[in-house]
Amino acid sequence: MDAIIQTKKLKKQFGGLVAVNGVDFTLERGEVRGLIGPNGSGKTTFINLITGVYEPTAGEVIFNNKVNITGWAPNKIAQLGILRTFQIPRLFGDMTLLENMLIPRFADFSMDYWVHYAKAVERADELLDMAGIIHLRDHPAKTLSGGQKALLQMARGFMVDHIAVFMLDEPFAGVNIVVKDTIMSMIKRMAAEGVSFLLVSHEMTSIRQTCPRVTVLAEGAVIADGSMDEIVSQQHVIDAYLGG
């Protein structure tokens, strides 16, 4: 097994509420995994624990089979190539699309800006073209539609040249079919280059089309794992969604 991310008995408790309850999970290199479950099941909290937004109450997060990143700061985790998006895109609204794209590349202050600038712009243009928003490269990000902001947020992550894992929180929410297709195309293209993805989504059709394997969370625990066809017929999964 070529694991890129592992969690071992991962737990997060907020007072008397257990949001993530002893989750054992493995994401393999180049895998595109779906993470689904009813509202309040702990999906976003689980991503927050892996990416350092929250510190676990208990358990471990292991990167690349050897690096224990449990409790690390988000910036240190991002430097390893573990990135994430947010349900509401977080962009620099007064900066252009191109400027937004360049920020991740030059967040490492050890890089010589002017030496790498031309190649960074070339890569940014390539990714903006892949996202279908190259024609807007010199526009402020605040002028974009919701779907275009989602595309920019995702394309910007690929500017990290050593990206290993990309966790997408509700990437298909509130966007039209053209944007959904573009997002799925970008995921498949980058997965073929070895990037691993974890997709949190309520869009079952999009998850079915994108993710060969799906993990189901309910009340903070894994209750099912397998292909979408395998899990949708399981009674305990149906009960979790319908409150049975």
Side-chain angles (χ1 to χ4, degrees):
M1 182 176 62
D2 192 11
I4 191 72
I5 290 287
Q6 291 176 287
T7 69
K8 300 178 179 180
K9 306 300 181 186
L10 196 64
K11 181 178 182 179
K12 182 61 180 179
Q13 188 166 346
F14 300 97
L17 173 66
V18 180
V20 173
N21 193 7
V23 172
D24 292 318
F25 174 86
T26 300
L27 181 70
E28 297 183 26
R29 195 178 311 276
E31 181 182 7
V32 181
R33 177 83 67 85
L35 183 63
I36 67 173
N39 288 330
S41 60
K43 302 183 297 297
T44 296
T45 301
F46 183 65
I47 285 182
N48 287 340
L49 292 171
I50 294 174
T51 57
V53 176
Y54 295 152
E55 186 171 346
T57 304
E60 294 181 328
V61 182
I62 309 297
F63 172 65
N64 205 21
N65 274 322
K66 57 188 177 183
V67 183
N68 189 327
I69 62 172
T70 310
W72 282 25
N75 62 304
K76 286 188 63 179
I77 292 173
Q79 288 170 2
L80 291 176
I82 304 170
L83 308 179
R84 58 89 54 85
T85 63
F86 294 87
Q87 294 184 30
I88 299 175
R90 300 186 180 184
L91 305 171
F92 295 92
D94 291 326
M95 299 176 71
T96 68
L97 274 66
L98 177 60
E99 290 167 338
N100 269 272
M101 293 290 287
L102 294 178
I103 289 171
R105 181 58 64 94
F106 294 110
D108 180 355
F109 292 108
S110 66
M111 295 182 66
D112 188 318
Y113 181 85
W114 295 111
V115 168
H116 296 278
Y117 178 78
K119 287 186 177 180
V121 170
E122 182 181 352
R123 177 59 172 163
D125 285 344
E126 176 187 337
L127 291 168
L128 288 171
D129 184 53
M130 183 169 69
I133 50 176
I134 183 66
H135 59 292
L136 301 170
R137 79 190 287 269
D138 297 317
H139 292 227
K142 65 184 178 183
T143 65
L144 300 180
S145 69
Q148 290 168 337
K149 288 178 179 178
L151 290 169
L152 176 58
Q153 178 181 224
M154 188 169 173
R156 186 176 61 179
F158 296 136
M159 285 295 290
V160 177
D161 56 7
H162 59 286
I163 181 172
V165 180
F166 209 175
M167 301 191 175
L168 310 180
D169 197 356
E170 296 291 353
F172 308 114
V175 300
N176 63 44
I177 188 62
V178 174
V179 173
K180 287 181 184 179
D181 287 345
T182 303
I183 290 173
M184 287 189 281
S185 176
M186 294 171 72
I187 291 169
K188 291 175 182 177
R189 176 171 171 177
M190 297 306 293
E193 297 183 15
V195 179
S196 303
F197 289 86
L198 181 62
L199 278 61
V200 170
S201 181
H202 287 95
E203 298 274 346
M204 295 298 102
T205 300
S206 299
I207 288 291
R208 182 188 291 273
Q209 293 175 346
T210 312
C211 305
R213 184 177 174 188
V214 178
T215 298
V216 186
L217 282 185
E219 298 182 348
V222 174
I223 63 168
D225 190 278
S227 70
M228 184 65 81
D229 289 337
E230 290 170 343
I231 65 174
V232 294
S233 61
Q234 296 181 23
Q235 188 60 47
H236 60 288
V237 173
I238 297 170
D239 290 344
Y241 272 93
L242 299 181

